[in-house]
Amino acid sequence: MAAPGEPCEGPGVWNQTEPMPATAHLLSLCFLKTAGVWVPPLYLWVIGPIYLLYIHHHGKGYLRMSPLFKAKMVLGFALIILCTSSVSVALWRIQQGTPQASEFLIHPTVWLTTMSFAVFLIHAERKQGVRASGVLFGYWLFCFLQPATSAAQQALQGGFQSDPFYHLTAYLCLSLVVAQFVLFCCTDRPPFFPKDPQQSNPCPEAGASFPSKAMFWWVSGLVWRGYRTSLGPKDLWSLGRENSSAELVSQLEREWTKNRSVAQRTTKPTADKRRGSRGMEAPETEAFVRQEESKRGPLLRAIWRMFRSTFLLGTLSLIISDVFRFTVPKLLSLFLEFIGDPKAPSWQGYLLAVLMFLSALLQTLFEQQHMYRLKLLQMRLQTAITGLVYRKVLALSSGSRKASAVGDVVNLVSVDVQRLSESIIYLNGLWLPLFWIGICFVYLWQLLGPSALIAIVVFLSLLPVNFLLTKKRNRHQEEQMRQKDSRARLTSCILRNVRMVKSHAWEGAFLDRIMRIRGQELHALKTSSLLFSVSLVSFQVSTFLVALVVFAVHTLVAKDNAMDAEKAFVTLTVLNILNKAQAFLPFSIHSVVQARVSFDRLAAFLCLEEVDPGAMDSCFSKCSAGENCISVREGTFAWSRESPACLRRINLTVPQGCLLAVVGPVGAGKSSLLSALLGELSKEEGSVSIKGPVAYVPQEAWVQNTSLVENVCFGQELDPLWLDRVLEACALWPDVGSSPAGVHTQIGEQTRILVTHTLHVLPQADWIVVLEDGTIAEMGSYQQLLRGKGALVGLLDRASQPGERGGEAAPTGGTKDLRGSAGGRGPTSGQERPMMLVPEKDSTTSEAQKGVLLDDPEGAGRPTGQDSVQYGRVQAAVYLTYLRAVGIPLCLYALFLFLCQQVASFCRGYWLSLWADDPTVDGRQMQAAMRGWVFGLLGCLQAIGLFASMATVLLGGIRASSMLFRQLLWDVAQSPIGFFEQTPIGNLLNRFSKETDIVDVDIPDKLRSLLIYALGLLEVSLVVTVVTPLAVVALLPLLLLYAGFQSLYVASSCQLKRLESARHSFVCSHVAETFQGSAVVRAFRAQDLFVAQNDAYVDERQRASFPRLVADRWLAANLELLGNGLVFVAAVCAVQSKAHLSAGLVGFSVSAALQVTQTLQWAVRSWTDLESSIVSVERMKDYAWTPKEAPWRLPTCAARPPWPHRGQIEFRDFGLRYRPELPLAVRGVSFRIHAGEKVGIAGRTGAGKSSLAGGLLRLREAAEGGVWIDGVPIADVGLHMLRSRITIIPQDPILFPGSLRMNLDMLHEHTDEAIWAALETVQLRALVASLPGQLHYECASQGDELSVGQKQLLCLARALLRKTQILILDEATAAVDPGTELQMQAALGSWFAQCTVLLIAHRLRSVMDCARVLVMDKGQVAESGSPAQLLAQKGLFYRLAQESGLV
């Protein structure tokens, strides 16, 4: 090692009593040499042992002895030899009697031991698989200072011949350290036997050097690829094991289970006491309501134990970054002191410029490492919490599912998890700004003395104002969110029931209602935006306000306190830090408070009641013939642990191969029995045992948003031969053709349980269970129960009506066993024979849906619900569309205001530099008052201009959003029904929710930020150029690099964000689907399969999230490096031009350059965010060019009211198709329906029955032929005119969010008396009168609080009020019990006796009392006549009747 040269001796070296400038102490060669000697050993001996322990526990496999490692070791041993020689020479000279200073012996000895430790670390890193060492990189960087200083000093002093050894050792040490430093800028080979398996497209971070990791250069390859071509899934890196769902979720699940178990053991006695004192609470109130017992503790501890090391390491990086943050103002003070001292040597100025650059650079590096680690923690936390929520969804009990809607669960995943993860960044903002404030106060006290107290007073006085503004804004934001949620619920309900809306011509009514809610939402947003503008202005100008007051007090009140450049611009730099603390603290509090609400919601959801795994004993082994495969002994069940029992003392055994029917009146417990057998209910007493696999068909059809084949196979391997038999048994071949579809169930001699309202199928059952009031009333075969004249006979009697359909209630024989057609087609051996649990409901999908899905065999295998992903840069036309929506004059006015406020900002800074350069007379500046007044006036003008410009942009954004939303709503409402069947509802809801919210809030905010940052950057460039024109030479290359980084980042980031958004939709959709079908998943025991699917979806999303996260850090690090370079250029140019520059102008230039460091990256990020957000405008305009249906109203209509006055319908050679490229679904249909005639339309599934009704309503336009009503072609009638003259009662009763009166009279055409009369007719007057608010009772969601029968009767009352001449019944009584069916038949018979009735029958029994029946087959009328005539013909109708057990 090189000796220190001349020792730091002499009386003036550390003499603090001498009145010398601070630069003389801090910038002396003696100080630099001493720091260079002791800093590297201290660094390595403090960090090294900790680092050694870390790599010992996180080894990645050993590295082979590469040439790079060998070179490091050779240089290391050379340095050890050099240090040893320095110690030896010093000892030898002492032994020879030559006087030697102690540092000549101590310093080489310390370096010798430290170098030996460094060489040992090099070897340890190879053994543990470390390919690039950050610790040793920093060590060699620190080691560079001492030999460089010594070599420079000896080169300047000369005297080589007097002491050649120390000169040679200095130069040699410098050369070896530089060489070692260069080697540590490289990366070694990968481990010989890596612990993690090799990935197809591994992340390049593992093979990156330390400088590349520090500056995130290792992501440059992906960024460059994204700039040159469109990024796709194949370009994304594989996810590391430490970031995968399987790893993260399992860790959090273990911690959560352990902590929750501890908490339950601790709190159970207390909870029991409290429950006993306040009574039993309903489970619904426990779902998302904050209770006295805190539920967040176990989850918080689990998260902390899992992620604390990453968080603490990120926090440490932030603290180190803040150390360098506060070093910069001190260095600026020294630099301005140097500028003001004409005798100071130039090398001190250059050194200070370098130190300012290095301090800013180190602040950037540590701050970006802090952001990277916490962003990575965010991603991991999001993965872990999402997986934990999903696993909870699969385990929720029935009571818990009733307490939480699917929308709530999706919000947990998409909103609450996001808020919780984003709050990680702001946790340190709760305490760190307080330290900033304290340090800033110390700085200001040193600069201004007691005047600094005024700064704290003004600062504290501004805090309540900002808190008040934030509180008022939050109230308006909450109102906006309420209106937005209301609009979203209504929009979702309309889109899900768009066929109903269009069939009744209700589009106009719903559009008006949505726009009213939208108007209230935008009004709240407008007020919130104005308050936000005021709040932003207060933050922006708070630095000016505090500076104005402090400068005024300091110069005008106190004596001998003149303003100078150091006081002015260092104070501004410190106040900018103080302003960040002022802004960061309340924002952090707000973010953490929001996160706490989300955290409580997540914790409450994770604590919901789960399915009891012991409620059912299941065995996967095959059940032998004659053995009981289902056994229930003394079973008592409840929907939740707190609710009363719904089934009591159930005893039931079902043998293998038995078809068991479960019947009973509404509320008897039929569905509860089925749920108990599946283990969905809480078992209070008894036992349940099931042998063999289970197949379950729920009452509400549940279909995944995947391809048809995947829905059929449900995770099982596809067997084409067996699939053919299944499709044939399900009678789906006529519709499916060669495309696999239908329900995948292995048909054999199965055990089946049928829960049914349809009593005519009972003769085909082997065994019947009749339930009443949650108990088994009787059991037996059909004939046994008939002879017993018990509960079953009573059900049959109530279902019959004298003189009408008498044969339906009690068919006695002659029916063909339904098992006959399927039994012979099952496998004879080698197949498991699952039990089928089937609550009966007509599960036939609509004709239109089948036409779309089944007539498109090429698309059958494609996943549905995929939203479009745009690639490349956003076109300029999209920006122009948005600017036109804002208004071009308003855009120009906003730009003018921004320019005005920026000019005021420039003038204010320049005026302050003139104030600082004013001459001082007797310690006072003569023009201080005038300078202060003008400074204050310029600041006020800037504040006014800033508020006006930001308010203009935000209000213009609201104007554009209103226009774009109205156009989107109109485009979607005018789309034909085929558009809604081909477009997944999630895509539409995304346009009306997420994309609309982005246009509402994000685009105006990003546009505002872009204008502020871009103009601020322009101002700084102008300042540096005006003050030091020489800086233009370096400024131009910096701007070119800036433009290059901007272009690379914007292109890649936008594509990554699109890929991430598309994959996030899959996650949300999968969670929603699983929540709705969790009972089916558990019944099929497919939980592991669905967990793996969810993990795969989340991992795919994170594959796009991680590169975008790193790309953000790449941009920030490199642009801040450019900003630091601008500071360096401004400082160096100021040193070179020191002779003719004033300290005020230099302070103006350098302080402005210091502020631009983060302005650079935020300008690019705002531009990128704007481009990413402007895609929402593009997506909202997607549907402007899709085909639209015919006009709702025509100026000249062929039909004149009252039309139709008779109701005669005629189809003439009618044909239609579902899409232009598909063949005709209905063709050559010609028939006439006379006025007042009741006609049934029957046929197999997919025969074209519902297509005729859709053609009559023009839900699809005729491809050939046409339809005439009372002699008027419906093609010449406006759609609303036509549809308002026809009444349709669908199979599924649908209510909309809103009042009961609105649901009954959507167009506000009837009086209350007429509505009460209709309710009286359907026997609901008493029910409605008992509801809170009666007709103004608000229906929650879709009327879920009402029974299916009650909703169907309300829909019937709605139909009665329309009083049209044509009525379409689409199997309106299929989903109701016999009693409700009789009520509906009576009402229809009295109100529609003179009307033309079309009855679409999915159950053949419904058309037996029609005057005429049309039998459809393959889209054509196969038979026509009365039921008796058709039965006599023994054609298709006869065969259908046979299959239905009617003949």
Side-chain angles (χ1 to χ4, degrees):
M1 172 197 163
E6 294 298 327
C8 294
E9 297 174 343
V13 174
W14 301 107
N15 188 0
Q16 297 293 334
T17 61
E18 295 292 332
M20 297 174 64
T23 52
H25 299 299
L26 298 177
L27 301 182
S28 64
L29 288 175
C30 182
F31 175 81
L32 295 177
K33 287 167 54 180
T34 304
V37 168
W38 290 104
V39 168
L42 287 174
Y43 164 82
L44 193 61
W45 284 107
V46 171
I47 303 294
I50 303 174
Y51 174 65
L52 196 62
L53 184 65
Y54 174 80
I55 62 174
H56 178 72
H57 288 91
H58 297 82
K60 299 179 181 180
Y62 73 90
L63 305 178
R64 287 175 290 182
M65 287 191 181
S66 64
L68 179 64
F69 168 75
K70 294 176 182 178
K72 291 178 181 177
M73 294 297 289
V74 168
L75 292 178
F77 281 117
L79 284 167
I80 291 175
I81 294 173
L82 189 63
C83 292
T84 304
S85 64
S86 297
V87 173
S88 302
V89 169
L91 291 174
W92 179 77
R93 289 184 174 180
I94 292 174
Q95 188 177 10
Q96 295 296 321
T98 304
Q100 296 286 316
S102 59
E103 60 188 80
F104 284 92
L105 180 62
I106 296 175
H107 293 173
T109 305
V110 172
W111 272 56
L112 174 62
T113 56
T114 308
M115 286 292 177
S116 303
F117 185 41
V119 172
F120 173 75
L121 281 179
I122 295 173
H123 176 70
E125 287 178 339
R126 185 186 71 85
K127 299 292 288 184
Q128 298 300 327
V130 178
R131 302 173 62 186
S133 175
V135 171
L136 289 178
F137 178 90
Y139 171 71
W140 297 118
L141 182 62
F142 284 133
C143 285
F144 176 78
L145 179 62
Q146 195 275 336
T149 306
S150 296
Q153 182 183 15
Q154 292 178 5
L156 293 174
Q157 292 177 351
F160 178 82
Q161 295 179 352
S162 62
D163 196 351
F165 175 78
Y166 282 123
H167 280 77
L168 289 175
T169 55
Y171 301 142
L172 186 58
C173 181
L174 177 62
S175 302
L176 292 174
V177 168
V178 170
Q180 195 75 290
F181 176 77
V182 171
L183 290 180
F184 273 84
C185 291
C186 304
T187 183
D188 214 327
R189 295 173 180 175
F192 191 57
F193 293 110
K195 294 186 177 180
D196 295 332
Q198 187 67 27
Q199 297 173 325
S200 58
N201 186 16
C203 177
E205 182 183 15
S209 64
F210 180 75
S212 178
K213 290 181 179 180
M215 296 301 297
F216 303 96
W217 290 331
W218 53 271
V219 78
S220 301
L222 182 68
V223 174
W224 177 251
R225 194 181 309 126
Y227 174 75
R228 297 190 63 185
T229 61
S230 297
L231 293 177
K234 67 180 183 303
D235 299 311
L236 303 178
W237 306 313
S238 300
L239 211 59
R241 182 176 59 87
E242 67 279 3
N243 295 325
S244 65
S245 294
E247 180 75 14
L248 294 169
V249 180
S250 60
Q251 291 181 22
L252 184 60
E253 195 172 23
R254 284 195 302 267
E255 293 290 343
W256 159 248
T257 303
K258 181 173 63 178
N259 284 280
R260 188 184 178 193
S261 300
V262 172
Q264 287 176 341
R265 289 195 300 267
T266 305
T267 60
K268 187 175 181 180
T270 306
D272 291 339
K273 292 180 182 179
R274 291 178 178 175
R275 187 179 292 108
S277 63
R278 67 173 182 253
M280 194 69 68
E281 290 185 357
E284 290 80 1
T285 61
E286 296 182 0
F288 291 99
V289 179
R290 186 179 303 167
Q291 299 180 348
E292 293 181 17
E293 298 87 11
S294 174
K295 297 178 180 178
R296 73 175 71 97
L299 182 59
L300 186 61
R301 285 191 293 271
I303 293 175
W304 172 250
R305 290 178 181 177
M306 183 175 172
F307 297 111
R308 59 187 173 188
S309 59
T310 304
F311 178 78
L312 292 176
L313 190 59
T315 302
L316 178 62
S317 299
L318 181 61
I319 293 174
I320 297 174
S321 171
D322 286 338
V323 171
F324 290 107
R325 184 193 310 274
F326 285 100
T327 303
V328 172
K330 186 63 178 178
L331 291 174
L332 177 61
S333 178
L334 294 176
F335 186 76
L336 294 178
E337 182 181 323
F338 160 79
I339 294 294
D341 183 7
K343 298 181 181 179
S346 297
W347 68 267
Q348 290 186 352
Y350 291 119
L351 180 60
L352 283 170
V354 171
L355 290 177
M356 278 195 293
F357 172 75
L358 290 177
S359 296
L361 177 62
L362 290 173
Q363 177 198 339
T364 294
L365 294 180
F366 280 101
E367 186 174 16
Q368 295 312 316
Q369 286 299 315
H370 155 75
M371 292 296 296
Y372 173 65
R373 295 186 183 280
L374 292 196
K375 287 287 185 179
L376 194 61
L377 191 155
Q378 280 185 359
M379 188 186 79
R380 292 173 177 174
L381 179 62
Q382 195 172 8
T383 297
I385 295 291
T386 300
L388 201 61
V389 169
Y390 185 81
R391 285 153 176 78
K392 184 70 177 184
V393 167
L394 284 173
L396 284 179
S397 66
S398 298
S400 299
R401 286 203 308 273
K402 290 181 179 179
S404 52
V406 61
D408 297 330
V409 178
V410 173
N411 280 338
L412 287 176
V413 173
S414 62
V415 177
D416 293 307
V417 172
Q418 185 76 15
R419 282 183 178 175
L420 177 61
S421 62
E422 287 180 349
S423 68
I424 299 296
I425 294 292
Y426 303 105
L427 288 178
N428 287 315
L430 298 177
W431 62 273
L432 202 55
L434 301 178
F435 286 89
W436 290 3
I437 294 171
I439 297 173
C440 288
F441 176 73
V442 172
Y443 265 118
L444 292 176
W445 185 274
Q446 289 179 348
L447 288 168
L448 305 174
S451 302
L453 294 173
I454 304 299
I456 302 300
V457 171
V458 176
F459 169 72
L460 293 178
S461 65
L462 289 175
L463 277 179
V465 176
N466 291 321
F467 275 113
L468 180 62
L469 289 173
T470 303
K471 186 176 180 180
K472 291 180 69 67
R473 180 172 174 247
N474 286 341
R475 284 205 300 268
H476 290 285
Q477 281 184 319
E478 291 170 359
E479 174 63 22
Q480 180 210 351
M481 292 300 296
R482 281 193 295 269
Q483 298 297 337
K484 183 166 69 174
D485 290 343
S486 177
R487 172 177 59 81
R489 285 193 298 269
L490 180 59
T491 305
S492 175
C493 189
I494 294 170
L495 292 176
R496 294 181 189 279
N497 304 289
V498 68
R499 178 177 292 271
M500 179 81 167
V501 173
K502 286 191 169 292
S503 298
H504 289 78
W506 288 337
E507 296 99 326
F510 279 114
L511 290 183
D512 291 341
R513 188 176 170 199
I514 289 176
M515 290 309 299
R516 282 198 301 271
I517 300 174
R518 176 69 172 164
Q520 296 171 357
E521 176 190 353
L522 291 181
H523 178 74
L525 178 61
K526 185 181 298 184
T527 307
S528 175
S529 298
L530 290 175
L531 291 173
F532 184 51
S533 300
V534 176
S535 179
L536 284 176
V537 170
S538 69
F539 282 127
Q540 293 284 344
V541 303
S542 59
T543 303
F544 152 73
L545 290 176
V546 175
L548 175 64
V549 175
V550 168
F551 292 162
V553 170
H554 183 71
T555 58
L556 299 179
V557 176
K559 294 182 178 180
D560 300 329
N561 282 337
M563 181 67 67
D564 57 26
E566 180 183 358
K567 292 179 180 178
F569 292 102
V570 176
T571 298
L572 283 180
T573 304
V574 173
L575 289 180
N576 279 317
I577 299 176
L578 193 64
N579 187 37
K580 290 179 182 178
Q582 180 194 11
F584 196 41
L585 181 61
F587 192 78
S588 299
I589 294 174
H590 178 68
S591 177
V592 172
V593 167
Q594 281 190 325
R596 179 179 175 179
V597 174
S598 295
F599 189 85
D600 288 343
R601 285 166 51 86
L602 286 165
F605 178 79
L606 293 173
C607 290
L608 288 177
E609 181 183 350
E610 298 182 0
V611 171
D612 184 7
M616 175 189 66
D617 297 326
S618 59
C619 178
F620 290 93
S621 61
K622 182 179 178 181
C623 186
S624 59
E627 185 181 0
N628 291 332
C629 58
I630 298 178
S631 177
V632 183
R633 304 291 184 190
E634 296 295 327
T636 299
F637 305 92
W639 284 103
S640 66
R641 295 186 181 93
E642 290 79 11
S643 61
C646 58
L647 293 173
R648 294 175 294 277
R649 304 186 66 80
I650 300 296
N651 289 280
L652 176 66
T653 57
V654 184
Q656 169 69 15
C658 176
L659 172 59
L660 173 67
V662 181
V663 296
V666 174
K670 304 183 295 299
S671 298
S672 300
L673 177 61
L674 204 59
S675 297
L677 296 180
L678 292 172
E680 295 294 313
L681 298 188
S682 176
K683 183 181 66 176
E684 297 182 355
E685 295 178 359
S687 64
V688 179
S689 176
I690 293 183
K691 293 184 178 180
V694 176
Y696 174 51
V697 182
Q699 184 175 11
E700 298 291 337
W702 180 65
V703 181
Q704 287 183 270
N705 195 15
T706 58
S707 67
L708 295 174
V709 174
E710 290 172 340
N711 271 287
V712 172
C713 294
F714 205 63
Q716 301 181 20
E717 187 175 349
L718 178 63
D719 183 352
L721 295 178
W722 181 235
L723 181 63
D724 291 348
R725 296 176 179 178
V726 170
L727 295 175
E728 185 177 353
C730 296
L732 285 175
W733 270 122
D735 305 296
V736 178
S738 61
S739 184
V743 181
H744 185 201
T745 308
Q746 295 179 339
I747 306 297
E749 189 180 289
Q750 295 166 325
T751 301
R752 288 142 296 158
I753 301 176
L754 180 67
V755 176
T756 181
H757 287 301
T758 309
L759 303 181
H760 72 269
V761 302
L762 294 182
Q764 304 168 33
D766 298 318
W767 201 251
I768 299 172
V769 173
V770 184
L771 290 177
E772 283 187 352
D773 297 327
T775 60
I776 297 179
E778 58 181 3
M779 291 188 296
S781 67
Y782 182 71
Q783 297 298 334
Q784 289 174 348
L785 296 181
L786 283 181
R787 289 193 296 271
K789 298 185 182 299
L792 178 63
V793 174
L795 279 175
L796 296 173
D797 290 341
R798 289 194 294 272
S800 63
Q801 185 170 356
E804 184 177 345
R805 300 172 66 181
E808 177 182 350
T812 57
T815 61
K816 182 179 179 181
D817 194 341
L818 285 179
R819 296 169 296 172
S821 61
R825 296 189 177 95
T828 56
S829 64
Q831 296 279 357
E832 289 288 336
R833 297 171 182 174
M835 293 165 286
M836 294 177 59
L837 305 179
V838 187
E840 192 207 49
K841 181 182 176 182
D842 192 323
S843 60
T844 306
T845 55
S846 68
E847 303 289 335
Q849 290 172 336
K850 287 198 173 295
V852 171
L853 295 177
L854 303 181
D855 290 341
D856 187 9
E858 293 182 359
R862 293 194 307 262
T864 59
Q866 294 189 16
D867 206 351
S868 58
V869 180
Q870 293 87 0
Y871 293 96
R873 300 291 296 269
V874 178
Q875 300 297 322
V878 181
Y879 291 96
L880 189 59
T881 298
Y882 183 78
L883 294 178
R884 285 173 177 167
V886 174
I888 300 299
L890 194 62
C891 295
L892 295 176
Y893 179 64
L895 183 61
F896 171 74
L897 290 175
F898 270 107
L899 287 173
C900 290
Q901 69 88 21
Q902 205 66 50
V903 170
S905 174
F906 175 84
C907 295
R908 180 169 59 87
Y910 181 71
W911 187 261
L912 182 61
S913 69
L914 296 179
W915 187 358
D917 290 334
D918 277 348
T920 302
V921 179
D922 297 331
R924 304 295 295 270
Q925 291 171 312
M926 304 305 296
Q927 298 180 335
M930 185 268 291
R931 296 290 190 189
W933 279 107
V934 174
F935 181 76
L937 178 62
L938 290 172
C940 292
L941 290 176
Q942 183 196 2
I944 294 172
L946 188 61
F947 171 76
S949 57
M950 289 194 299
T952 303
V953 170
L954 295 177
L955 295 180
I958 294 174
R959 182 174 183 266
S961 178
S962 175
M963 185 178 299
L964 291 171
F965 179 85
R966 188 186 300 111
Q967 186 62 46
L968 171 66
L969 189 63
W970 185 257
D971 290 336
V972 172
Q974 282 199 312
S975 298
I977 198 67
F979 164 82
F980 297 96
E981 291 167 348
Q982 296 177 56
T983 307
I985 191 173
N987 295 3
L988 295 173
L989 290 175
N990 191 49
R991 298 316 196 269
F992 284 104
S993 56
K994 180 182 177 182
E995 311 296 351
T996 299
D997 187 59
I998 289 175
V999 176
D1000 281 351
V1001 179
D1002 287 4
I1003 292 181
D1005 185 59
K1006 303 306 179 187
L1007 185 59
R1008 171 196 60 79
S1009 299
L1010 176 63
L1011 290 172
I1012 289 178
Y1013 292 128
L1015 292 175
L1017 178 60
L1018 182 63
E1019 178 191 351
V1020 172
S1021 302
L1022 182 63
V1023 169
V1024 174
T1025 304
V1026 169
V1027 174
T1028 54
L1030 188 61
V1032 175
V1033 177
L1035 194 60
L1036 290 178
L1038 289 177
L1039 291 177
L1040 290 176
L1041 287 173
Y1042 172 76
F1045 281 122
Q1046 185 262 352
S1047 299
L1048 291 172
Y1049 175 78
V1050 170
S1052 301
S1053 179
C1054 291
Q1055 296 180 68
L1056 290 171
K1057 188 170 184 179
R1058 290 169 182 170
L1059 290 171
E1060 181 185 5
S1061 299
R1063 280 153 177 75
H1064 181 69
S1065 299
F1066 282 117
V1067 175
C1068 295
S1069 298
H1070 192 246
V1071 171
E1073 288 170 1
T1074 306
F1075 180 84
Q1076 293 170 325
S1078 57
V1080 178
V1081 176
R1082 286 196 294 267
F1084 281 86
R1085 300 181 177 96
Q1087 293 97 318
D1088 293 341
L1089 171 66
F1090 274 74
V1091 165
Q1093 287 179 353
N1094 181 73
D1095 288 351
Y1097 284 137
V1098 173
D1099 287 348
E1100 280 299 308
R1101 179 187 66 185
Q1102 304 302 46
R1103 282 186 65 204
S1105 299
F1106 180 68
R1108 195 167 75 89
L1109 176 159
V1110 183
D1112 287 345
R1113 298 305 105 217
W1114 174 86
L1115 174 75
N1118 286 281
L1119 288 191
E1120 288 194 14
L1121 176 63
L1122 292 182
N1124 298 333
L1126 183 60
V1127 174
F1128 180 72
V1129 168
V1132 168
C1133 292
V1135 174
Q1136 292 180 342
S1137 306
K1138 176 185 176 183
H1140 59 271
L1141 279 181
S1142 66
L1145 286 176
V1146 173
F1148 183 28
S1149 173
V1150 177
S1151 63
L1154 285 172
Q1155 298 308 313
V1156 84
T1157 302
Q1158 292 188 341
T1159 302
L1160 284 169
Q1161 62 148 320
W1162 282 112
V1164 176
R1165 189 160 295 168
S1166 298
W1167 174 259
T1168 306
D1169 292 342
L1170 178 62
E1171 182 158 342
S1172 300
S1173 300
I1174 208 72
V1175 174
S1176 296
V1177 176
E1178 186 178 13
R1179 291 163 68 86
M1180 289 181 74
K1181 299 292 290 183
D1182 278 349
Y1183 303 134
W1185 320 115
T1186 57
K1188 300 295 183 285
E1189 61 183 357
W1192 290 343
R1193 300 191 182 277
L1194 295 175
T1196 58
C1197 184
R1200 293 286 184 266
W1203 176 88
H1205 57 279
R1206 296 176 60 237
Q1208 177 180 298
I1209 304 171
E1210 183 178 3
F1211 284 76
R1212 299 179 186 174
D1213 196 25
F1214 177 78
L1216 63 77
R1217 53 171 50 95
Y1218 295 117
R1219 294 205 301 271
E1221 69 273 13
L1222 297 179
L1224 290 172
V1226 175
R1227 59 187 180 277
V1229 173
S1230 298
F1231 62 86
R1232 177 178 294 179
I1233 301 176
H1234 302 289
E1237 187 178 11
K1238 183 178 182 182
V1239 177
I1241 304 176
R1244 296 186 185 277
T1245 298
K1249 305 183 297 296
S1250 297
S1251 300
L1252 290 181
L1256 182 61
L1257 291 166
R1258 290 180 64 190
L1259 295 177
R1260 280 189 173 80
E1261 298 292 348
E1264 59 185 29
V1267 182
W1268 278 254
I1269 297 179
D1270 283 358
V1272 176
I1274 62 173
D1276 297 339
V1277 180
L1279 292 183
H1280 279 188
M1281 167 72 81
L1282 170 66
R1283 294 168 183 172
S1284 64
R1285 300 300 190 270
I1286 301 175
T1287 298
I1288 181 170
I1289 304 179
Q1291 176 181 349
D1292 295 321
I1294 296 172
L1295 297 180
F1296 296 91
S1299 68
L1300 203 57
R1301 193 193 194 290
M1302 182 276 297
N1303 272 283
L1304 293 171
D1305 181 19
M1306 202 68 68
L1307 302 178
H1308 305 285
E1309 297 175 332
H1310 305 286
T1311 63
D1312 287 357
E1313 291 75 14
I1315 295 175
W1316 283 112
L1319 291 172
E1320 181 73 32
T1321 303
V1322 298
Q1323 302 180 23
L1324 284 183
R1325 183 183 183 101
L1327 172 69
V1328 176
S1330 65
L1331 294 175
Q1334 298 184 349
L1335 288 179
H1336 299 287
Y1337 172 75
E1338 289 290 325
C1339 296
S1341 185
Q1342 297 187 20
D1344 294 337
E1345 67 276 19
L1346 302 174
S1347 69
V1348 175
Q1350 290 168 341
K1351 290 194 288 185
Q1352 190 65 280
L1353 291 174
L1354 285 172
C1355 291
L1356 177 59
R1358 182 166 60 196
L1360 299 181
L1361 288 169
R1362 287 172 69 93
K1363 298 178 181 178
T1364 60
Q1365 286 298 115
I1366 300 176
L1367 173 66
I1368 301 175
L1369 296 175
D1370 190 0
E1371 197 63 54
T1373 62
V1376 298
D1377 60 89
T1380 305
E1381 183 177 2
L1382 293 179
Q1383 288 179 256
M1384 296 182 64
Q1385 290 173 354
L1388 290 172
S1390 61
W1391 281 65
F1392 291 99
Q1394 305 301 319
C1395 295
T1396 303
V1397 178
L1398 275 71
L1399 196 155
I1400 299 172
H1402 301 291
R1403 299 183 302 178
L1404 205 61
R1405 187 173 302 275
S1406 305
V1407 303
M1408 299 306 291
D1409 59 349
C1410 291
R1412 182 154 55 107
V1413 177
L1414 300 175
V1415 184
M1416 300 293 296
D1417 185 33
K1418 298 180 181 179
Q1420 295 178 310
V1421 178
E1423 298 175 359
S1424 177
S1426 67
Q1429 292 172 342
L1430 296 178
L1431 288 174
Q1433 293 175 6
K1434 294 192 176 181
L1436 178 58
F1437 186 79
Y1438 180 81
R1439 293 195 299 273
L1440 293 173
Q1442 275 188 318
E1443 294 172 4
S1444 299
L1446 299 178
V1447 296

